[in-house]
Amino acid sequence: MKRFTLLTLCLGMMLSLSPRVTSAAEGQPAAGQKKSVGLIDMAYLFKEYKKFADLRDQLRNDIKGSDDKAKQMGEQLQALQKTLKDGTYKEGTPEYQKIEAQLIAQSTQFEAFRKTQQREYLRRESKIYKDIYMEVVEAVGQYASYYQYDVIIRFSRDGVGETDNAQELIQNMNRQVVWHNQGIDITEAVLKYLNSKYTPTAAAPAGDTTTK
């Protein structure tokens, strides 16, 4: 089952900011001190935001519960196949035909279950990334408005010297922000605000796919 494949797409989008003023933002510049450009590392923020980690863990637990059920269904199919092949019932007899029909029916149910669960988890995964992204954008907008930033640009804190991988090295060398004043990186301030207002809730039992 394809899992957690949306990070590149979600973190590759540019931030669109809505102007809001709030005193909840905590940051480096003093209020009223205008800043033209701010930077935020979205990949780092997603990685360190507790709510995002909790939602992904819950999704993983539900996927595990679904995988366990699928495994059980698969074992039942194998048992039926073995019964048909081991000569217990002669082909063409009513008993054989009954088991054969049962095997076909359960095979259909298994395939439907597998496809349904795959669609459901992909939908939930997409919703997690969308909801967290929109929440981050709102927090960034509040922070930027309060401290009078004109624009916030997504960037990566990873430096060229932090990797020997050729592909990663080329990506780091091609990034838009080559150098920046450390004071315009608002990542930690926004992350601190998001984590401070997040209250974890009790995890639902594994296998419960109900979206809260």
Side-chain angles (χ1 to χ4, degrees):
M1 181 182 296
K2 184 178 180 183
R3 304 173 188 167
F4 306 104
T5 58
L6 302 181
L7 185 59
T8 301
L9 290 176
C10 288
L11 300 185
M13 299 172 62
M14 291 296 288
L15 288 173
S16 59
L17 304 178
S18 57
R20 283 191 179 180
V21 179
T22 178
S23 60
E26 299 179 13
Q28 299 123 13
Q33 180 181 349
K34 187 175 180 59
K35 294 274 188 177
S36 295
V37 179
L39 301 176
I40 189 164
D41 188 336
M42 291 291 282
Y44 176 84
L45 195 148
F46 266 65
K47 179 181 177 181
E48 299 298 328
Y49 186 17
K50 297 176 183 177
K51 181 177 180 179
F52 180 64
D54 287 349
L55 290 174
R56 288 203 308 170
D57 287 343
Q58 179 61 53
L59 183 59
R60 286 194 184 100
N61 289 336
D62 291 344
I63 290 175
K64 183 179 183 303
S66 176
D67 287 346
D68 290 343
K69 183 175 180 180
K71 180 180 179 180
Q72 182 180 10
M73 295 174 69
E75 291 173 350
Q76 292 174 350
L77 291 176
Q78 291 177 353
L80 290 173
Q81 291 174 336
K82 182 178 179 181
T83 300
L84 290 179
K85 293 179 179 180
D86 64 8
T88 302
Y89 302 106
K90 185 177 180 180
E91 186 174 357
T93 61
E95 292 82 2
Y96 186 96
Q97 292 176 346
K98 181 179 179 180
I99 295 176
E100 189 176 42
Q102 186 178 358
L103 175 61
I104 294 173
Q106 290 190 12
S107 296
T108 302
Q109 292 174 358
F110 174 77
E111 186 64 19
F113 174 81
R114 186 186 65 80
K115 290 182 178 180
T116 299
Q117 292 301 304
Q118 184 178 37
R119 287 194 300 267
E120 172 63 12
Y121 290 125
L122 287 175
R123 183 192 67 79
R124 288 181 58 192
E125 183 184 46
S126 298
K127 188 176 187 304
I128 288 173
Y129 278 95
K130 177 183 177 181
D131 290 349
I132 294 297
Y133 180 80
M134 296 306 297
E135 186 177 350
V136 170
V137 168
E138 182 178 6
V140 170
Q142 293 173 354
Y143 183 96
S145 296
Y146 185 77
Y147 290 109
Q148 301 184 48
Y149 283 88
D150 291 326
V151 63
I152 305 296
I153 298 175
R154 178 183 55 83
F155 86 120
S156 173
R157 291 174 162 187
D158 295 337
V160 173
E162 296 179 11
T163 180
D164 293 325
N165 181 279
Q167 184 176 358
E168 293 179 356
L169 180 63
I170 292 174
Q171 290 175 347
N172 288 340
M173 292 174 64
N174 287 333
R175 61 188 181 180
Q176 292 180 329
V177 179
V178 178
W179 178 91
H180 68 281
N181 183 326
Q182 296 296 326
I184 65 173
D185 181 358
I186 69 171
T187 306
E188 293 294 347
V190 173
L191 177 62
K192 180 179 179 181
Y193 170 66
L194 289 169
N195 280 332
S196 68
K197 72 185 186 72
Y198 169 57
T199 303
T201 56
D208 180 3
T209 59
T210 304
T211 301
K212 300 293 186 290

